[in-house]
Each structure stands twice: as structure tokens, then as C-alpha cells.
Amino acid sequence: MKTTVGMGMAVAGVIGLSTFANAADWQLRPTVAVGAEYDDNIRLAAKNEESTSGAWLTGAVEFGSESEIQETKGRLRLDFINYANSKVPDENNQYFNFTTAHKGQLNTLRLDAAARRDTTIVTDRVPTSPEDIDVALTTTQVRRTRATISPSWRHQLSQRTDVGMAYAYLGTTYDKNVLVDYHRHDLKLDVGHNLSERDRLTVNVGASDYRAPDANKKYDTVSVVGEYERHLSETFLGVIGVGARRTNFDIPGESNGQDSGAILRLRGERKGERTTWDGLVERSVYPSGSGDVVEADQLVLQVRHKLRPLLEFSMRARFLKQHSIVNNGSNQDTRYVYVEPKLAWLMSRELSLSASYRYRRKSGEANTPSADSNAAYVELTYAAL
């Protein structure tokens, strides 16, 4: 009953926000979606798999305002998911993203913030940042709260050279002690130089401080990365970054010391009339709910292609391999695969119908059994213009 009331209030609130659009110089775009799913192993467990069907209701609103010197945009999303299997608890998930930037003659101030309240078994349902590697850490349905805030400043030294500074805070808490609460502070300084209209070179120095108080674990990382960016055409951007990092760790009663490694980042982005894609290949260290900082190699890919004026194909994929930089750490060679092709039909300017298939796979060391999940989704979406 509470879930039904909550669904109705969310829909009413999201649709009602559209009436606010004329009260200020803001653009609002509410969205409502209903859908159904079936997953043959929703917890991605190697044994004692739980299959279930489910239905969900989503309410979301995108908002923004733009002028010559100020740009603000954001998105709020609420998900209500009911599962038919009584062993799989229903979910109410919330997601929020916000960005604002003020551009002066020589200085740009920017603030990015995000928060999400979800569970570890559906982390990839709503796209997340590449540094979020909580996926497949546990087969237990753990509720979590993850929040980030990042102010940054950029100053134009000359027509071709600029400097920047950014700070970022990340805090993650879990409702069960299966995973470990942690927080992280990041500080980055960079210098960028435009070699030409199409080429740019950037060097950045960073420091990161990771703490998991309940586990009494500390990790400090310093890094230096050089990036080369080139616009191969008006629609194609390529970026390559290479660097090194050193991580000091202090784990009382277990081990302490340091670990060094390489940082690699390859990114490509293409925006065409019919096809757009964004790909990332990266090796770096990331904070984890295991209580450790882990080194991970990953590939993240998003593709959209218009088959016909009213028919679109899209795909999201992620390949992740992570391991602890400490010999007796919690993560030892964990691999995770996520692939979701999707077909969407634009029934009208506001209404669309989509169907997708999702495949997930988790595997560990040689003696650890792997787990697979197959899921199918159907969704009807209304997006106000």
C-alpha cells in the first residue's frame, strides 16, 4: 500500500513540475515510464539463484537554465520496483545529478554534484560513473547511499594556455555490514595548452585520500597524468592519457606499505546524424565498498544508432576486471561483464516503446564458480516536450 501511494505521489509531483516552467527562466522536461522485466538470476549468484519477474514505475524531471555567463542543468529520478518473488525485496531508488557553471572573462567556476540511493544488485540499471565499481561485490541486496560534490575553477592565462584546480568529495554508506562505509577526498591541479585548433595537451597532478573508518583502513594516492586530445573531425574526438601513481596504505593488524602502477585512459566520442557513440578504456585505482582501494581495468561503451526515423537501436556495455593492490585484500581478480542492447520505437513525439535484453556475468579466481544472469525488459515512456 505504501509503495502504491508513493508511486502516485511521485507521478503527480513530476507532472506538476511542468507548470513551474513559465514561472522562471527555466526549462523543465518531466518523464514518466512504466515497465516489466524478468531476470533468471537477479542477485548474480553462483548458487541458489533467485529468478523473478517485476514491474516498475519511474518518474523523472530534467531541468536547466542557460545564459551567456551562466549554465545550470540537472536531473531527478525516482524508481519504484515491485518483484513477484517474495525473497527479493521491493525497491524505491532515487537519483539526482546537478551541474552549474559561471563563465567570466578569464575565470570559470563550476560545481558538480550527484547523489543516488539504490542497491548493489541494480547499480547498472541507471548509468553510473566509471569509478563506481560496487557492481557484483556481493550477492546480498544491500541498500546504499552514494553522494559526490566537486567544485572546480579554471583560469585563462593566455589565448592558448589555462590552469585549473578541482576538489571532489565522495561518500558511500551501506545499510548492512556486508560492505564497508568509506569516504574519499580528491585534489587535482592541471595545466592545459591548445597546440592548435584541434589539438590540446594537458598535464595534471592529483592526490587522493581514502578512508574506511569501520575497517580502520587508509589509502593515500598521488598521481601524474599527461593527456593528449585531438578533434579528428567536427564529429569525432579522441583522447589518450598516460601516467603513473603511487599508493601508500595502512591497514593495522594486516599490512602496510606502498604500491606503484600505471594509469591509462583512452577515450573516443563520435556524434553523427544517425550514429553516436562514446567509449572509454581505462586503468586506474578506484574506491570500493570492500574496504580497499582496488586497481581496475575496464571498458565502457555506449552506442546509439537510428535504424529508421522512428526506430532506434542502442547498447550499453561494461567490462570490468579488478583486484586489490594489497596481497590479502578483499578483491582478488574479480571480473564483471554487462551488456544491454535495446530497441526503441518512437510512437509519437512524446511516447516511446522499448524492449531490451541484459546479460551479466561475474567470475573470480580459477577455483571460484562464475555466475550469469539473463534479463528481458519492456518499457513505455512518456516524455513531455
Side-chain angles (χ1 to χ4, degrees):
M1 180 64 181
K2 290 182 179 179
T3 302
T4 304
V5 173
M7 288 180 178
M9 292 178 64
V11 173
V14 169
I15 296 177
L17 280 173
S18 61
T19 62
F20 180 71
N22 296 325
D25 189 20
W26 287 81
Q27 294 181 349
L28 298 178
R29 189 181 186 224
T31 301
V32 177
V34 293
E37 67 178 273
Y38 174 79
D39 196 320
D40 65 1
N41 186 8
I42 191 167
R43 292 196 175 109
L44 199 57
K47 57 182 180 179
N48 300 322
E49 300 93 339
E50 292 289 351
S51 63
T52 185
S53 58
W56 74 84
L57 175 63
T58 293
V61 60
E62 296 179 358
F63 57 90
S65 176
E66 186 175 359
S67 66
E68 293 183 358
I69 62 172
Q70 185 81 28
E71 181 180 5
T72 301
K73 60 182 179 179
R75 189 171 194 265
L76 172 66
R77 171 172 170 160
L78 308 176
D79 285 358
F80 304 91
I81 309 172
N82 290 320
Y83 294 112
N85 189 335
S86 60
K87 296 181 181 179
V88 182
D90 297 338
E91 297 187 22
N92 299 326
N93 300 326
Q94 302 87 39
Y95 309 89
F96 177 71
N97 294 280
F98 177 80
T99 297
T100 184
H102 179 82
K103 301 176 183 178
Q105 185 175 0
L106 297 176
N107 298 283
T108 299
L109 299 175
R110 180 185 175 101
L111 176 67
D112 295 284
R116 56 194 295 149
R117 174 74 171 163
D118 60 4
T119 73
T120 53
I121 66 171
V122 295
T123 298
D124 267 342
R125 178 190 290 270
V126 177
T128 184
S129 65
E131 70 170 11
D132 185 357
I133 60 172
D134 276 355
V135 291
L137 278 179
T138 176
T139 57
T140 304
Q141 195 169 359
V142 181
R143 295 285 291 169
R144 69 167 187 171
T145 301
R146 180 183 174 93
T148 61
I149 184 167
S150 176
S152 61
W153 164 79
R154 182 157 294 280
H155 177 72
Q156 199 74 31
L157 292 175
S158 67
Q159 187 176 359
R160 303 176 68 178
T161 305
D162 53 82
V163 296
M165 179 173 63
Y167 164 78
Y169 171 81
L170 166 63
T172 305
T173 60
Y174 305 92
D175 288 358
K176 297 181 181 180
N177 58 8
V178 177
L179 299 176
V180 181
D181 297 350
Y182 68 86
H183 60 264
R184 188 190 66 179
H185 301 272
D186 282 337
L187 181 63
K188 291 185 178 181
L189 305 172
D190 72 82
V191 178
H193 181 72
N194 295 321
L195 303 172
S196 68
E197 292 184 356
R198 291 191 172 188
D199 301 271
R200 178 177 173 83
L201 184 64
T202 304
V203 177
N204 67 69
V205 179
S208 175
D209 173 73
Y210 171 96
R211 297 290 184 269
D214 293 342
N216 203 20
K217 294 183 178 182
K218 304 176 182 179
Y219 290 81
D220 298 308
T221 300
V222 294
S223 62
V224 178
V225 178
E227 283 192 350
Y228 172 69
E229 176 182 309
R230 179 171 175 80
H231 290 268
L232 299 172
S233 68
E234 293 182 356
T235 61
F236 188 21
L237 170 68
V239 181
I240 178 171
V242 179
R245 55 93 187 162
R246 186 181 69 184
T247 303
N248 296 312
F249 49 86
D250 182 5
I251 308 175
E254 296 185 26
S255 60
N256 59 76
Q258 68 177 35
D259 180 79
S260 299
I263 294 176
L264 174 65
R265 185 178 299 116
L266 301 174
R267 181 172 174 265
E269 177 183 317
R270 185 181 186 277
K271 296 181 179 179
E273 293 184 2
R274 296 183 59 190
T275 304
T276 64
W277 61 267
D278 191 337
L280 172 70
V281 176
E282 187 172 51
R283 161 173 280 196
S284 190
V285 289
Y286 306 89
S288 169
S290 64
D292 294 305
V293 167
V294 301
E295 185 176 64
D297 301 319
Q298 63 175 318
L299 165 66
V300 181
L301 179 64
Q302 297 186 67
V303 179
R304 298 181 67 178
H305 178 69
K306 287 187 176 181
L307 300 172
R308 294 181 180 180
L310 301 180
L311 190 64
E312 180 181 89
F313 169 81
S314 63
M315 185 180 71
R316 290 196 296 131
R318 189 179 189 187
F319 305 89
L320 174 66
K321 177 183 178 182
Q322 57 180 326
H323 68 274
S324 175
I325 62 176
V326 182
N327 291 333
N328 58 347
S330 303
N331 285 345
Q332 297 292 339
D333 295 329
T334 302
R335 298 172 180 84
Y336 175 76
V337 176
Y338 176 102
V339 181
E340 183 179 5
K342 181 178 181 180
L343 197 62
W345 172 38
L346 187 62
M347 304 170 65
S348 68
R349 296 180 64 187
E350 299 90 3
L351 201 63
S352 64
L353 178 66
S354 64
S356 62
Y357 163 77
R358 183 186 70 179
Y359 173 76
R360 294 180 297 158
R361 179 180 177 84
K362 176 187 176 182
S363 59
E365 298 177 334
N367 297 326
T368 304
S370 60
D372 298 271
S373 165
N374 298 277
Y377 299 85
V378 178
E379 183 178 64
L380 182 66
T381 303
Y382 171 81
L385 297 178

